[in-house]
Amino acid sequence: MRGPTNEDRRGGSQEYIRNIFAPWGEHGDHVRIICMQEKTREGTLPKKECVDGIEVTRVESRNEVARLLGVVRRARESQTWADLMIENIMAIPLLAPLWKERGLPLLAIKHHLQGRTFIDSHGWSQGFIGLFMEQVLFPVVYRNVPLVVNSEHTKLDLKNLWFGKWEELQVVSPGVERISTTAEKFERPTILYLGSLHLARKRVDDLLEAFRRTHKACPEAQLIIAGDGPDRERLQDQASDLPVKFTGFVTEERKHRLFEKAWIFSSPSTKEGFGITWIEANSHGLPIVGYDLGLNTVTPSCSIMVPPRNKEALSRGLTQLLRNSEKRKAMAVAARENAGRFDWAHSSRRLRQFAEQVFK
């Protein structure tokens, strides 16, 4: 549905694809991504571009899914179509097992289940269709397709589906880019959020309410919200009386600089398959304060995770870390150690080995 780009635009699943498949070119593989177009504030992304050696083709029409499948269908007519097809399932599956040609090996990647997020994002009618496709159609149609997930948590979620009976299910975790930056911490105690401003998936409104309580206990504290999304104006209105700075979308360079300068990272998402920004923040020594989603991405030594939607507990975690410099220092060491568990090169090799088994 979406692909990586050289433009100033990022997303967890897009970055997963970019970092996993870019090294495959070193083995002589030609990786081509066919995905849908994406609107930006400036217009749209390039129809064709090369991203770290990956050929990206974007299609655009009123019926994007039909157009996307049409491009795939025409590509199949080429003698050099593909030796292996991989479907990257973000939200709605394209049901590739039903229309791919017989004999072409297929592998699927599923990042996480959306669940009720479908309804929160699209309302009951469209949301129910999405929920039905994920909970019923997806496990039935992909039952015999080798599947890659990004965490043990997502693996368990899939196996708990009524029809979730996969025999070949491989966990390939994301990695973290180790970018060396040297920047002094903000003088003011600073909490950082970085991600999408989409309340159906990321409860940034909860963070603002938690920060309102924290600010009373630590009047010198500030909150930086980096990222963009459909709920930005609503969140800006909510934070109008607080020391909150909205940066909009940030470049990779500025992202890592913010990680380096902040004191704490907070991401109160109620739905994550892995939590890639957690380990990105960890790699810069930032402790995490967020909602406990049952993931093993972070450990108690480098994070304070509280029950989902508990804004008071979220505020207590933020306040505790802002006030306790010794605890922050200890968690900073543990955070870097935790981030060291995740490596893109290792994950790329692991998925390629799994793909080779499927190909054989």
Side-chain angles (χ1 to χ4, degrees):
M1 302 291 279
R2 298 289 183 263
T5 178
N6 294 316
E7 304 292 317
D8 287 338
R9 193 174 184 86
R10 297 287 184 271
S13 58
Q14 293 97 316
E15 289 305 289
Y16 182 92
I17 292 300
R18 178 178 70 86
N19 286 288
I20 288 290
F21 292 106
W24 287 28
E26 298 174 4
H27 299 274
D29 299 323
H30 175 214
V31 181
R32 181 185 184 191
I33 294 177
I34 303 175
C35 60
M36 296 201 293
Q37 182 56 274
E38 205 169 343
K39 292 183 179 179
T40 67
R41 290 184 179 272
E42 293 74 29
T44 56
L45 295 176
K47 292 183 179 180
K48 288 183 178 291
E49 62 178 322
C50 182
V51 181
D52 292 345
I54 302 171
E55 179 187 340
V56 180
T57 300
R58 293 186 177 86
V59 301
E60 182 176 14
S61 72
R62 291 181 179 178
N63 189 336
E64 287 189 318
V65 174
R67 171 69 173 154
L68 179 62
L69 297 183
V71 172
V72 173
R73 190 163 51 249
R74 287 194 296 276
R76 286 164 53 184
E77 298 172 0
S78 168
Q79 292 182 350
T80 58
W81 152 231
D83 299 300
L84 170 70
M85 183 163 70
I86 300 175
E87 183 181 352
N88 181 43
I89 305 172
M90 295 177 66
I92 301 298
L94 295 176
L95 306 180
L98 300 182
W99 50 261
K100 78 171 185 70
E101 60 265 45
R102 184 175 299 176
L104 176 63
L106 172 66
L107 177 72
I109 299 173
K110 180 66 175 171
H111 298 272
H112 61 83
L113 297 181
Q114 300 282 336
R116 186 181 169 80
T117 303
F118 277 120
I119 296 174
D120 295 337
S121 299
H122 304 289
W124 280 100
S125 56
Q126 293 185 26
F128 178 79
I129 294 173
L131 202 57
F132 174 78
M133 292 188 71
E134 177 182 83
Q135 303 288 315
V136 179
L137 207 57
F138 163 65
V140 169
V141 172
Y142 291 80
R143 177 185 294 267
N144 297 315
V145 175
L147 195 64
V148 171
V149 295
N150 61 5
S151 69
E152 291 289 343
H153 182 73
T154 301
K155 179 179 179 179
L156 182 61
D157 280 349
L158 290 173
K159 288 197 169 185
N160 284 337
L161 292 175
W162 285 350
F163 303 102
K165 304 296 181 185
W166 283 274
E167 293 184 3
E168 294 184 88
L169 209 164
Q170 183 77 28
V171 176
V172 180
S173 300
V176 60
E177 292 183 89
R178 286 165 174 78
I179 296 179
S180 178
T181 57
T182 54
E184 295 293 329
K185 293 291 184 184
F186 287 111
E187 290 186 9
R188 295 181 65 177
T190 302
I191 302 163
L192 172 67
Y193 168 84
L194 190 145
S196 172
L197 304 187
H198 194 307
L199 297 185
R201 299 178 306 184
K202 314 284 187 179
R203 300 306 313 201
V204 188
D205 54 338
D206 285 7
L207 176 57
L208 289 175
E209 287 306 306
F211 178 66
R212 187 177 298 278
R213 294 181 173 91
T214 296
H215 183 245
K216 290 180 180 179
C218 303
E220 69 279 14
Q222 66 175 343
L223 170 63
I224 295 178
I225 295 180
D228 209 346
D231 294 311
R232 178 175 175 176
E233 290 185 5
R234 174 180 167 183
L235 292 167
Q236 287 176 321
D237 289 341
Q238 183 183 351
S240 59
D241 60 336
L242 292 169
V244 178
K245 180 180 180 181
F246 289 81
T247 69
F249 180 84
V250 295
T251 63
E252 283 294 290
E253 181 181 355
R254 191 178 181 195
K255 176 183 78 172
H256 289 284
R257 186 173 178 81
L258 284 172
F259 278 140
E260 197 72 14
K261 292 174 70 66
W263 291 29
I264 302 170
F265 183 78
S266 184
S267 181
S269 175
T270 55
K271 196 70 179 179
E272 292 285 353
F274 181 79
I276 192 167
T277 55
W278 298 353
I279 59 168
E280 285 185 322
N282 270 180
S283 70
H284 289 272
L286 283 185
I288 312 299
V289 179
Y291 288 149
D292 187 355
L293 306 180
L295 298 168
N296 64 355
T297 308
V298 292
T299 65
S301 63
C302 65
S303 67
I304 297 178
M305 309 305 277
V306 303
R309 303 308 308 273
N310 191 329
K311 289 166 275 192
E312 290 185 7
L314 192 67
S315 177
R316 285 196 299 271
L318 294 170
T319 304
Q320 178 186 0
L321 282 180
L322 288 180
R323 285 178 163 178
N324 193 331
S325 61
E326 292 303 315
K327 187 174 182 66
R328 285 201 314 274
K329 290 178 182 178
M331 293 184 81
V333 174
R336 290 190 173 91
E337 290 178 353
N338 182 63
R341 296 189 294 142
F342 304 99
D343 179 74
W344 279 121
H346 172 75
S347 296
S348 179
R349 288 193 299 270
R350 186 167 182 177
L351 199 149
R352 193 172 190 277
Q353 289 168 358
F354 186 55
E356 287 174 345
Q357 295 174 14
V358 173
F359 181 73
K360 293 177 182 178

